[in-house]
Amino acid sequence: MSIKTIKVAQSRLNEVDFNNLPFGKIFSDHMLVADYIDGAWQTPEIIPFGDISLSPSLSALHHAQAIFEGMKAFKNSSDEVIFFRMDDNYNRMNISAERMCMPAIPREIFVEGIKQLVALDKGWIPTGEGQALYLRPVMFSSDTAIGVKPSENYKLIIMTMPTGAYYLEPLKVWVETKYSRSAIGGTGYAKAAGNYGGAMYPSKLAAQHGYHQLLWTDSVNNEVIEESGSMNVMFMIDDVLVTPALHSSMLAGITRDSILRIARDWGTKVEEREITVTELIEKYKAGRVKEAFGVGTAANIAHIATIGHKELIMELPPISERTFANKMYEHLFAYKRGEKDDQFGWLTRI
Ligand SMILES: *Cc1c(COP(=O)(O)O)cnc(C)c1O
């Protein structure tokens, strides 16, 4: 598929300070746009990144049929572009689409579209420590009518941005016991825009007390641990890597899956199971919680330094002693950049 491409007259690349990349604020020259009109996907186009005009009656603004993905591309020393598990992001985008009653995206548009877009903006892929090109596909309903029903028209836009580290310091997380991110049977397993809007108020309350993130718990008893912010969460308890088992109120992270597979390959004991706040506190008090960290594409691995729950402030061991997470961070990052043997077949090179 050859995508019609309108290139920028003047690249903005030389305006970018690659030593200072705030997350999600600097966008590459081009974006891919594909429209779904009257039941059919139209041929996508690659055009200069920029504003688009939308009607105030745009259905996505009113009823949030809107989903997104987050993935990364890297460049190795031979100037090859490397995508990490892009088929998994593609599949998940369509899982989200199904849940939000949106049309599935053809593989050709998503996968081939991304390859052509990133090949064109290859110069925007940063290669410094912890850096990558972050890819953000977003799809939203584009009917211009206010009626609560599935839209007949949709727009897919894929934009890219050079990024550095997402979190600059180890996290303080607060165990949320009042509000929920999602619920069993809800949309938590989809990357649906509304999930993130709904999480902002409780996150702001925690931030007012000095916490970066929430540790989300189940929506019934606020007792079973689910995720941390918009990352999956893992604990090293004694020498066992423990992470909440997936269900419909949790997002099945690709980073989570990658870490579990690498850990099993290393011979680390792994448990995907229910973990409660009560268990965490008990094991913390017994000195058995060695590490805690959030995992996701944007942040890679984010160490959790402190977990606050009601009156109790759990201070976890120093970051320098986090043998597993530190080793995994190095390994995963090198793997994504093509510096390790691609033993799981996760890389796409162009
Ligand atoms: C995207 C996301 C994750 C992490 O998924 P990755 O595929 O690892 O990036 C975890 N939790 C939530 C709620 C997310 O939105």
Side-chain angles (χ1 to χ4, degrees):
M1 180 181 61
S2 146
I3 299 175
K4 187 181 158 201
T5 301
I6 301 169
K7 292 188 188 169
V8 291
Q10 177 80 53
S11 172
R12 289 176 282 103
L13 190 53
N14 57 4
E15 294 164 21
V16 181
D17 174 6
F18 278 90
N19 296 317
N20 177 27
L21 294 171
F23 186 84
K25 293 187 179 167
I26 298 166
F27 298 90
S28 314
D29 282 330
H30 300 91
M31 63 183 184
L32 178 135
V33 181
D35 287 305
Y36 180 89
I37 299 170
D38 297 333
W41 282 100
Q42 312 296 304
T43 313
E45 285 188 359
I46 291 174
I47 59 174
F49 177 84
D51 295 351
I52 54 171
S53 148
L54 299 167
S55 166
S57 65
L58 188 86
S59 60
L61 300 177
H62 299 263
H63 307 124
Q65 262 187 302
I67 58 172
F68 65 91
E69 263 305 321
M71 52 196 285
K72 278 180 172 172
F74 302 82
K75 200 162 55 180
N76 66 12
S77 48
S78 5
D79 214 37
E80 276 178 320
V81 179
I82 302 177
F83 298 97
F84 183 69
R85 301 190 69 170
M86 73 190 307
D87 277 296
D88 295 281
N89 290 95
Y90 168 66
N91 291 333
R92 191 170 64 191
M93 185 87 175
N94 280 344
I95 289 171
S96 298
E98 180 185 45
R99 180 64 183 82
M100 298 310 289
C101 206
M102 300 165 87
I105 303 164
R107 193 171 186 282
E108 215 185 27
I109 293 182
F110 192 93
V111 175
E112 287 309 311
I114 284 176
K115 284 184 188 170
Q116 291 187 32
L117 178 68
V118 175
L120 179 63
D121 282 337
K122 191 172 169 180
W124 288 82
I125 307 175
T127 53
E129 177 54 39
Q131 298 183 329
L133 189 74
Y134 183 77
L135 280 54
R136 170 53 63 91
V138 62
M139 172 161 66
F140 53 90
S141 57
S142 56
D143 273 11
T144 52
I146 298 172
V148 185
K149 67 176 189 59
S151 181
E152 282 161 18
N153 301 287
Y154 295 87
K155 197 180 265 298
L156 167 70
I157 301 179
I158 303 176
M159 63 201 95
T160 77
M161 56 210 94
T163 57
Y166 191 82
Y167 293 110
L168 302 170
E169 51 182 352
L171 304 178
K172 289 181 74 173
V173 303
W174 180 254
V175 180
E176 179 57 57
T177 52
K178 179 174 179 192
Y179 298 100
S180 299
R181 191 189 81 86
S182 61
I184 299 289
T187 58
Y189 69 90
K191 272 183 128 65
N195 293 346
Y196 304 84
M200 285 178 193
Y201 178 64
S203 304
K204 184 182 86 172
L205 297 180
Q208 285 168 349
H209 295 99
Y211 287 86
H212 303 97
Q213 279 277 347
L214 292 173
L215 197 58
W216 296 107
T217 52
D218 72 277
S219 63
V220 180
N221 301 313
N222 296 114
E223 167 64 7
V224 182
I225 295 170
E226 295 193 340
E227 301 197 49
S228 179
S230 49
M231 296 183 290
N232 295 113
V233 66
M234 298 187 175
F235 303 93
M236 188 58 80
I237 300 177
D238 301 322
D239 59 352
V240 183
L241 182 64
V242 181
T243 194
L246 296 173
H247 50 67
S248 66
S249 80
M250 284 173 53
L251 199 292
I254 294 164
T255 314
R256 173 188 181 279
D257 183 69
S258 305
I259 291 174
L260 295 182
R261 283 169 73 178
I262 295 168
R264 287 186 171 115
D265 183 60
W266 284 353
T268 308
K269 275 178 245 155
V270 172
E271 291 177 2
E272 291 178 73
R273 61 171 173 83
E274 187 173 285
I275 171 163
T276 62
V277 178
T278 307
E279 177 189 343
L280 185 70
I281 292 172
E282 207 177 274
K283 302 231 159 122
Y284 167 77
K285 287 185 171 162
R288 298 172 60 190
V289 181
K290 309 290 185 209
E291 307 186 23
F293 50 97
V295 305
T297 295
N300 295 306
I301 289 180
H303 294 292
I304 295 172
T306 308
I307 303 174
H309 177 256
K310 301 186 175 146
E311 306 301 304
L312 178 67
I313 296 175
M314 295 180 258
E315 298 289 358
L316 300 178
I319 306 306
S320 57
E321 291 172 17
R322 313 279 184 100
T323 327
F324 179 85
N326 287 326
K327 183 175 162 204
M328 182 60 79
Y329 175 86
E330 295 296 333
H331 183 86
L332 191 58
F333 199 76
Y335 192 116
K336 290 180 178 190
R337 282 224 288 220
E339 292 159 7
K340 301 269 172 194
D341 166 41
D342 182 15
Q343 64 182 126
F344 300 105
W346 285 337
L347 307 184
T348 306
R349 290 181 158 91
I350 58 170

